[in-house]
């Protein structure tokens, strides 16, 4: 089964979701921590700078010697902070002073001069930078760890889902003994989850389906066996009837009923899956010609490329005989049987197979278009082909007619 081009596996989607959420959470926490620490650091440096500016202002007004970091109209003072001080206000600003981060605090001195204090901000800037690096590394480590743990957890779930899907495919293919047998469903003390519920539901469905099919198979086999005895007596009684048209009609219906009973018995044997092959080397072209001669029909045989195959001759003749008989009964002449390597094609030039048969394969006791029959011939052909390990497919030709293709292993 191929996924659409826009879809991905559950593990990939979960990994992408976990990664995005971890990145978003790490970014949010990192921004919050960065803003909080930066605000505290800047506030401490600002308070320190304003305190020294107040001391320097007192010394300047008293005519005392200024502190070493206090200067009048320093060269590196930012122009915005200078304009603020000339307007009679005090303020602070962080900028580079000869390549070093510096916290400036400035205020008015006298007339058109500005008194400023420069406090080294290198340690605080280094602390904030180190914090940012720590946030990045810890976020990457947390994302990687969370992704690995999440991927491990999701992989366990997807592995169980894949196992359930594989069992479902086996059941669809006819293996009714397949079961998921999830350990959680067997131990009620263990915590149950959705995957265990799906597995339990699938196992229950398979068991119920198997029981119904086995009942149907037993019923079919029992009916066919029970019909054999009265049919034998009916056939013997029909042979004692005097010649005439009524006798022919009775014998014809008895023969049809015997054929139907034998078909039902054969289907019941195929349903049990206990058929055994008796293989031998056979020339496929010669076998096809033998089948056509035995059918007594006007069927053209084309041998494009003959091969020898290891197969069960009786079963292969049964498959080809049913295909040829079905082509003559429900199609129109000419009917052509073509052998090309290990592929045998039977084609007629009638109205073609019904749509349901091409899509889902033959179904017993179902026919369409007013045709006679019980749908058992093709059903037996498909069952015998499966026993041979061959593949039997049905299609309609573009220019009209039904095409059945048997591909031998």
């Amino acid at each position: 089964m191929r996924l659409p081009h826009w879809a991905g596996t559950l593990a990939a989607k979960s990994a992408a979701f976990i990664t995005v959420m971890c990145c978003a959470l790490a970014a949010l926490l990192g921004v919050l921590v960065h803003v909080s620490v930066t605000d505290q650091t800047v506030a401490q440096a600002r308070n320190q700078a304003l305190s020294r500016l107040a001391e320097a202002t007192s010394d300047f007004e008293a005519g005392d010697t200024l502190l070493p970091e206090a200067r009048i109209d320093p060269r590196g003072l930012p122009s915005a902070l200078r304009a603020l001080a000339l307007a009679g206000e005090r303020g602070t600003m962080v900028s580079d002073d000869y390549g070093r981060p510096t916290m400036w605090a400035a205020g008015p001195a006298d007339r058109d001069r500005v008194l400023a204090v420069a406090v080294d901000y290198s340690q605080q800037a280094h602390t904030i930078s180190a914090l940012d690096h720590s946030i990045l590394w810890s976020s990457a480590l947390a994302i990687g760890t969370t992704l690995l743990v999440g991927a491990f957890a999701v992989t366990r779930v997807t592995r169980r889902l894949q196992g359930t899907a594989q069992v479902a495919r086996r059941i669809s293919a006819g293996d009714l003994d397949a079961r998921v047998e999830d350990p959680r469903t067997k131990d009620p003390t263990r915590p149950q989850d959705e995957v265990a519920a799906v597995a339990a539901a699938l196992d229950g469905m398979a068991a119920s389906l198997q029981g119904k099919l086995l009942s149907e198979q037993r019923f079919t086999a029992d009916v066919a066996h029970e019909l054999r005895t009265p049919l034998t007596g009916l056939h013997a009684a029909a042979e004692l009837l005097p010649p005439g048209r009524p006798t022919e009609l009775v014998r014809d219906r008895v023969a049809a009923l015997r054929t139907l009973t034998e078909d039902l018995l054969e289907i019941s044997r195929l349903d049990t899956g206990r058929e055994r092959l008796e293989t031998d080397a056979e020339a496929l072209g010669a076998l096809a010609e033998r089948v056509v001669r035995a059918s007594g029909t006007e069927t053209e045989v084309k041998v494009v490329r003959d091969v020898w195959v290891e197969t069960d001759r009786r079963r292969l003749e049964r498959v080809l005989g049913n295909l040829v008989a079905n082509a003559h009964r429900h199609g129109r002449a000419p009917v052509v049987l073509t052998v090309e390597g290990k592929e045998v094609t039977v084609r007629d030039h009638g109205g073609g197979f019904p749509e349901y048969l091409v899509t889902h394969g033959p179904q017993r006791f179902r026919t369409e278009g007013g045709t006679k029959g019980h749908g058992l011939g093709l059903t037996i052909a498909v069952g015998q082909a499966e026993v041979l390990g061959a593949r039997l497919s049905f299609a309609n030709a573009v220019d009209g007619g039904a095409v059945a293709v048997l591909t031998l292993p």
Side-chain angles (χ1 to χ4, degrees):
M1 294 178 63
R2 296 186 60 184
L3 295 173
H5 65 88
W6 47 264
T9 63
L10 179 60
K13 290 182 178 180
S14 301
F17 176 76
I18 293 173
T19 302
V20 171
M21 294 303 298
C22 287
C23 290
L25 183 60
L28 178 61
L29 293 178
V31 169
L32 291 176
V33 172
H34 173 83
V35 171
S36 177
V37 174
T38 300
D39 287 346
Q40 293 179 5
T41 304
V42 171
Q44 292 175 358
R46 180 183 293 114
N47 292 335
Q48 181 182 3
L50 290 175
S51 176
R52 293 188 180 182
L53 177 63
E55 295 178 6
T57 301
S58 298
D59 293 341
F60 178 77
E61 292 176 350
D64 295 337
T65 302
L66 296 177
L67 297 173
E69 62 268 21
R71 287 169 284 175
I72 299 294
D73 291 332
R75 182 177 301 177
L77 184 66
S79 57
L81 187 58
R82 182 186 297 277
L84 181 66
L86 291 176
E89 301 290 340
R90 290 185 177 186
T92 59
M93 182 178 292
V94 177
S95 68
D96 286 340
D97 184 21
Y98 298 102
R100 292 196 314 170
T102 302
M103 172 66 78
W104 289 96
D110 55 358
R111 291 176 293 184
D112 296 332
R113 293 191 301 172
V114 174
L115 176 62
V117 174
V119 178
D120 186 15
Y121 192 70
S122 300
Q123 184 62 37
Q124 290 85 343
H126 177 73
T127 300
I128 294 175
S129 177
L131 175 66
D132 291 342
H133 282 85
S134 298
I135 291 175
L136 290 176
W137 281 107
S138 60
S139 298
L141 180 61
I143 291 173
T145 304
T146 305
L147 183 60
L148 289 176
V149 174
F152 174 74
V154 171
T155 301
R156 291 188 61 187
V157 175
T158 55
R159 188 181 296 115
R160 293 169 62 196
L161 287 174
Q162 290 172 356
T164 303
Q166 184 178 4
V167 171
R169 286 192 290 269
R170 288 172 56 191
I171 294 174
S172 299
D175 184 6
L176 298 181
D177 292 324
R179 298 291 186 273
V180 180
E181 296 183 348
D182 194 308
R184 293 175 183 265
T185 60
K186 297 182 178 181
D187 187 1
T189 61
R190 298 183 62 179
Q192 303 295 309
D193 57 7
E194 290 78 3
V195 180
V198 172
L202 180 62
D203 287 347
M205 181 199 70
S208 176
L209 180 62
Q210 186 178 32
K212 292 179 180 179
L213 289 178
L214 289 177
S215 297
E216 178 186 345
Q217 291 170 7
R218 284 194 297 268
F219 175 76
T220 302
D222 292 343
V223 169
H225 278 291
E226 291 298 327
L227 285 175
R228 256 186 166 182
T229 301
L231 276 175
T232 302
L234 188 60
H235 178 73
E239 293 296 327
L240 298 177
L241 292 175
R245 181 59 180 167
T247 300
E248 292 178 0
L249 292 176
V250 171
R251 290 176 179 175
D252 179 68
R253 292 300 86 196
V254 171
L257 193 55
R258 289 189 67 181
T259 301
L260 175 60
T261 303
E262 295 299 327
D263 287 345
L264 288 174
L265 284 172
E266 186 170 358
I267 286 178
S268 66
R269 289 194 299 268
L270 291 172
D271 286 340
T272 58
R274 298 175 181 175
E275 296 288 279
R276 294 292 179 267
L277 292 177
E278 297 179 2
T279 60
D280 197 2
E282 297 286 341
L284 198 53
L287 187 145
E289 292 175 351
R290 222 169 31 244
V291 169
V292 170
R293 285 196 302 270
S295 68
T297 60
E298 295 183 1
T299 302
E300 180 183 358
V301 178
K302 292 183 178 179
V303 181
V304 178
R305 180 167 58 88
D306 198 3
V307 294
W308 284 77
V309 293
E310 287 286 337
T311 187
D312 189 320
R313 178 182 58 82
R314 181 184 64 83
R315 297 183 189 278
L316 183 55
E317 289 178 349
R318 177 68 160 153
V319 174
L320 296 181
N322 281 14
L323 294 179
V324 170
N326 184 80
H328 282 280
R329 183 179 298 114
H330 301 294
R332 287 197 303 269
V335 175
V336 182
L337 188 152
T338 305
V339 177
E340 186 173 358
K342 293 186 177 183
E343 187 174 277
V344 182
T345 303
V346 178
R347 179 189 174 181
D348 62 58
H349 290 76
F353 289 120
E355 187 62 32
Y356 81 89
L357 193 148
V358 176
T359 305
H360 303 290
Q363 300 176 19
R364 58 192 71 174
F365 298 107
R366 177 177 180 180
T367 57
E368 290 187 358
T371 57
K372 297 180 180 179
H374 305 92
L376 299 182
L378 292 182
T379 303
I380 293 174
V382 171
Q384 294 289 10
E386 291 178 355
V387 175
L388 292 172
R391 182 170 58 88
L392 183 57
S393 59
F394 304 94
N396 290 321
V398 178
D399 55 346
V403 181
V405 180
L406 177 68
T407 306
L408 294 171

